[in-house]
Amino acid sequence: MNCVFRRTFTSVSFIAPIIAGKMNNLQPRLQTLAQLIPPLTASMHKGECGRVAAIGGCEEYTGAPYFVASTALRLGADIAYVLCEKDAGTVIKGYSPDIIVAPYLRSVDNPDRTLDDVHSKVEQVLDKVHAVSVGSGLGNDANIGQSVERAIRAARERQLPVVLDADALSLVCTSPDIISGYANAVLTPNAPEFARLCNALGIAAGEPIDKTAQLVAARLNGPTLLIKGVRDVITDGQTVFVCDETSGLRRCGGQGDMLSGAVLTFLAWGELYKRGAWKSTARDSISPALVPMHAAYAASMLTRHASFLAYEECARATMSSSVLDQMDISFDNKFEEILKAVKPK
């Protein structure tokens, strides 16, 4: 079986438009989502298609932040940083020369920097990027946790879009105030993580999942939730999107990190979109308040489709690297024809 061969599917089918007042099974149109994608022109400069950062990576978990950053680059972000623990830095640098690796996070075993020094280094990166992802491969080191909590608060001060996944969600369970009330954030829990989040907020986890998700999002009062499952449920507490894009049957570790990287990319593009960095001839537009919802849906759709493509080729041999290899094909399948039709002004 050759897992290198990649099959291309043309997909320009339109998803049901949003109907005002309804809360279930809403799915934004592909043309609407495409508004968040920067058009490529000869006059663009490095960084204008997005600069992103992934905060994560420790001695045990080096692949997770790599998948976040590599997904962002494969979807079309220009620059991707990884801020990781010292022992993870050399390993991640060896994975790819395309990623800028900053091994600034201090752990209990490597306390060679003060907390203030680490924070200063992190802030320097935050000042350069359009969005940041936090949590992939962090582990549960107490020193790293302190730095990460300060990084989240610093991102909020800068009004940066934030994606929180994996170990960062444990911080939210312990201290919900670090993200509550912040609308420019997307949390991406799986089922066990969502159950812990419900418990931390005093909400009974149960079915239907979209209703419970709305309660949690409303309690957090701002962030968007993307709850991973058979169907991905996305809500800001008011609107609910449900992504039921067909995915592969393998559940190898790392796919959630790629989802975080995809959300990160669309949030960065969303920031540029809100600033008016480009215009198009399309009639659809996205209100600034709904950019995180649309970014989360687009990321869910692309990651699930990449998983499907990888499984079609590799079946039980599918690994997360197989899914990563399909991410650009997934993007082209969903958006290539639409982007050709929507000419930038």
Side-chain angles (χ1 to χ4, degrees), residues 230-288:
V230 176
R231 302 182 307 158
D232 290 349
V233 176
I234 302 155
T235 182
D236 57 3
Q238 300 181 40
T239 304
V240 177
F241 292 161
V242 176
C243 183
D244 56 5
E245 178 76 27
T246 302
S247 64
L249 297 180
R250 286 278 285 124
R251 296 294 180 265
C252 42
Q255 292 182 81
D257 303 309
M258 284 178 272
L259 175 63
S260 292
V263 177
L264 175 66
T265 306
F266 274 88
L267 283 177
W269 289 345
E271 272 308 284
L272 295 168
Y273 172 82
K274 288 188 289 186
R275 298 176 191 177
W278 62 85
K279 296 180 180 179
S280 76
T281 57
R283 294 174 297 174
D284 301 78
S285 63
I286 302 172
S287 71

Side-chain angles (χ1 to χ4, degrees), residues 198-344:
C198 288
N199 183 63
L201 296 174
I203 295 172
E207 298 292 339
I209 187 67
D210 56 333
K211 298 301 182 185
T212 306
Q214 281 183 271
L215 292 174
V216 172
R219 183 71 56 85
L220 289 172
N221 189 33
T224 293
L225 296 181
L226 193 174
I227 303 164
K228 297 172 282 193
V230 176
R231 302 182 307 158
D232 290 349
V233 176
I234 302 155
T235 182
D236 57 3
Q238 300 181 40
T239 304
V240 177
F241 292 161
V242 176
C243 183
D244 56 5
E245 178 76 27
T246 302
S247 64
L249 297 180
R250 286 278 285 124
R251 296 294 180 265
C252 42
Q255 292 182 81
D257 303 309
M258 284 178 272
L259 175 63
S260 292
V263 177
L264 175 66
T265 306
F266 274 88
L267 283 177
W269 289 345
E271 272 308 284
L272 295 168
Y273 172 82
K274 288 188 289 186
R275 298 176 191 177
W278 62 85
K279 296 180 180 179
S280 76
T281 57
R283 294 174 297 174
D284 301 78
S285 63
I286 302 172
S287 71
L290 287 175
V291 164
M293 286 282 295
H294 286 77
Y297 185 92
S300 170
M301 176 184 66
L302 292 179
T303 305
R304 292 172 70 98
H305 186 52
S307 169
F308 166 77
L309 296 175
Y311 186 77
E312 283 286 285
E313 300 304 333
C314 301
R316 290 182 181 271
T318 301
M319 299 181 293
S320 289
S321 55
S322 313
V323 180
L324 180 64
D325 285 340
Q326 297 290 348
M327 196 62 74
D328 55 322
I329 301 299
S330 174
F331 180 91
D332 287 345
N333 288 349
K334 297 299 181 181
F335 290 116
E336 184 177 25
E337 294 301 319
I338 293 172
L339 293 177
K340 288 179 181 178
V342 180
K343 304 297 182 183

